[in-house]
Amino acid sequence: VVDATGISPEEWTLWRAFLRSHARVSREIDLQLQRDAGLAQGEYATISAILESPRRRLRIGEIAEALGWEKSRVSHLIGRMEQRSLVAREACADDARAVEIVVTPEGRRKQLAAVRAHAAEVRRVFLDHVSPDEREVMTRVLRRVIDELGSTGQR
Amino acid sequence: VVDATGISPEEWTLWRAFLRSHARVSREIDLQLQRDAGLAQGEYATISAILESPRRRLRIGEIAEALGWEKSRVSHLIGRMEQRSLVAREACADDARAVEIVVTPEGRRKQLAAVRAHAAEVRRVFLDHVSPDEREVMTRVLRRVIDELGSTGQR
DNA sequence: GAAGATTGAACACTCAATCTTT
DNA sequence: AAAGATTGAGTGTTCAATCTTC
């Protein structure tokens, strides 16, 4: 059964559930991070991405790629985070155009303060509702979605 | 295998894929809607939700619930959409506190202009990568996530 | 007092243009 | 010219306070 758009009701249901679940879950995570560490979700994600990178430093474009965001968004965010002394910009040795972002002790401290409660919250609002089998299916599908879109649309 | 947070690497991978896929997919949808109809994703979703409701009219809180957003966000959005003559506010007969939002002919026209291309885009960036079996699993999981969070967190 | 909704200020994101280095 | 990044203006979102009706 499909309508004039070629999409079945069951498919629309999935699409809506995807959008709505993200909005609701993202909201809960934001509240928890703000409460426990005074960090926005994007700030936490940025710090974590940098700390988990091999050299503990990432360029603007690499952060954008990791998070699926636009470069200008990351650039503004880093600016605000730098004002708050959560990260610092450092010149890149290889390429004078590039900038490497590192996490300051203050940024690391805040991330540490949040990580336990954050993990618990991610579990509570999302992971607790996914069985191991379901997890495998979902990871496979979402990775496929990400990979098909590639790295286009940067700004 | 788990770390100090009690969350396994496989679970983190799913969580990250969820956030990243949403960011990327949402971005593509936004671009298409802006290009084909001059509508933002939230505007399109709002109009569609209203048109699909039984009486073709929805209150602010109902829109917020349907989309998983905060009421104040919807209120501001409706204000901007009203300026652009996409929707109109009408007094609610049952309850003088409430407002019912209806779609104007102009709003309906714009939504119609976008719906085919939008459906094709949703298919291209998301649904095409989900088999029927996978669709059932994902819908079940995401609905569980939504239902567990309930309607809390409205503002 | 609670529910439905709105408001304004502060904060965040997008878009297009720009700058520098490759 | 392309890649990496930044900027400023315009637009959108959040937070807390407020208003009216139930």
Side-chain angles (χ1 to χ4, degrees), chain A residues 4-8 10-29 31 41 44 48 52 65-70 115-116 118-120 122-127 129-131 133-135 137-146 148-153 155, chain B residues 4-8 10-29 31 41 44 48 52 65-70 115-116 118-120 122-127 129-131 133-135 137-146 148-153 155:
Chain A
T5 63
I7 292 183
S8 70
E10 290 79 13
E11 286 177 310
W12 277 123
T13 298
L14 169 58
W15 172 242
R16 301 264 166 96
F18 181 65
L19 295 181
R20 184 144 168 255
S21 62
H22 177 270
R24 294 288 287 108
V25 161
S26 190
R27 171 84 183 128
E28 296 294 319
I29 298 294
L31 288 174
Q41 189 175 359
Y44 183 88
S48 299
E52 288 166 22
E65 171 59 25
L67 269 36
W69 293 354
E70 300 179 26
V115 65
R116 283 183 170 280
H118 175 64
V122 171
R123 175 167 287 304
R124 179 181 79 83
V125 300
F126 188 75
L127 295 175
H129 308 112
V130 191
S131 75
D133 281 356
E134 291 167 338
R135 173 173 55 62
V137 171
M138 288 193 68
T139 302
R140 171 157 37 85
V141 170
L142 296 179
R143 284 201 55 73
R144 208 147 61 206
V145 167
I146 293 166
E148 288 300 319
L149 284 176
S151 311
T152 60
R155 186 167 300 228
Chain B
T5 63
I7 293 182
S8 70
E10 290 78 13
E11 286 177 311
W12 276 124
T13 298
L14 170 59
W15 172 242
R16 301 265 166 96
F18 181 65
L19 294 181
R20 186 148 167 249
S21 62
H22 177 272
R24 295 288 288 107
V25 160
S26 188
R27 170 87 183 125
E28 297 294 318
I29 297 295
L31 289 173
Q41 189 175 358
Y44 182 88
S48 299
E52 288 167 22
E65 172 58 25
L67 270 36
W69 293 356
E70 299 179 25
V115 65
R116 283 183 170 279
H118 174 64
V122 171
R123 176 168 286 304
R124 180 181 79 83
V125 300
F126 188 73
L127 296 175
H129 310 298
V130 191
S131 75
D133 281 356
E134 291 167 339
R135 173 174 54 64
V137 171
M138 287 191 69
T139 302
R140 173 158 35 89
V141 170
L142 296 179
R143 285 202 55 74
R144 208 146 59 203
V145 167
I146 293 166
E148 287 300 320
L149 284 177
S151 312
T152 61
R155 187 169 301 229

Side-chain angles (χ1 to χ4, degrees), chain B residues 58-150:
Chain B
L58 241 35
R59 308 201 287 194
I60 297 287
E62 292 173 328
I63 296 173
E65 172 58 25
L67 270 36
W69 293 356
E70 299 179 25
K71 276 192 293 195
S72 77
R73 177 178 177 178
V74 176
S75 189
H76 281 297
L77 174 62
I78 294 298
R80 292 190 302 267
M81 291 177 75
E82 199 172 23
Q83 290 297 313
R84 299 173 55 203
S85 299
L86 299 172
V87 297
R89 285 178 161 97
E90 290 187 359
C92 181
D94 309 358
D95 188 337
R97 292 171 303 180
V99 175
E100 288 185 330
I101 313 301
V102 297
V103 178
T104 63
E106 167 69 4
R108 174 137 192 69
R109 199 185 60 68
K110 285 215 171 190
Q111 195 251 11
L112 261 173
V115 65
R116 283 183 170 279
H118 174 64
E121 189 73 351
V122 171
R123 176 168 286 304
R124 180 181 79 83
V125 300
F126 188 73
L127 296 175
D128 267 355
H129 310 298
V130 191
S131 75
D133 281 356
E134 291 167 339
R135 173 174 54 64
E136 284 187 28
V137 171
M138 287 191 69
T139 302
R140 173 158 35 89
V141 170
L142 296 179
R143 285 202 55 74
R144 208 146 59 203
V145 167
I146 293 166
D147 291 346
E148 287 300 320
L149 284 177

